[in-house]
Amino acid sequence: MSAIRLFTDLDGRIGLRQFWLGSIALALCLLAVQWGASQVMDKYSAARVAAFANAFALFPWAALAAKRATDRGGSSLFGILLVCAIVLPRELQPLLGYAWAPSLTAISTMAWLVALVDLGLMPGVDRNAPLAERKGAAKPAR
């Protein structure tokens, strides 16, 4: 699978190795952008560039998680929702105030742990096994 398809396509399957290599590549790119921005720009501009890079990285991470969730035998939506559950509580903290901070941190931490165990540690299902049963499918046309 090409790197473009790995980071932009929500369909398909990837194994543990591709998932971890893709995640590490994304993390290293984000670190490089943050470090480079802090070296070249003032503090405020560097923070804006880092925030943009973090927001931009959400889709590649969601694509990795969606493909890995499919490989685990689940829905690609599960992987996308895990990424949202990890990231969104941190973004909501400034809007909801101090009282919500512990709950939002707990939600994000639990989602991160589920993602680590389910997507990052568990083996994929058999490649020949069907991904889902087709119960309730439409009847064929006559």
Side-chain angles (χ1 to χ4, degrees), residues 38-108:
S38 68
Q39 297 297 315
V40 177
M41 301 175 185
D42 62 295
K43 186 177 179 180
Y44 179 72
S45 298
R48 291 179 65 182
V49 168
F52 177 77
N54 288 338
F56 187 77
L58 284 178
F59 187 79
W61 252 315
L64 286 171
K67 284 194 265 316
R68 183 66 188 133
T70 302
D71 186 54
R72 289 273 306 124
S75 170
S76 59
L77 185 61
F78 175 70
I80 296 168
L81 290 176
L82 274 177
V83 170
C84 291
I86 291 169
V87 175
L88 288 179
R90 183 175 26 151
E91 301 303 321
L92 291 175
Q93 278 181 350
L95 301 174
L96 294 177
Y98 180 74
W100 284 91
S103 298
L104 293 173
T105 302
I107 291 169
S108 182

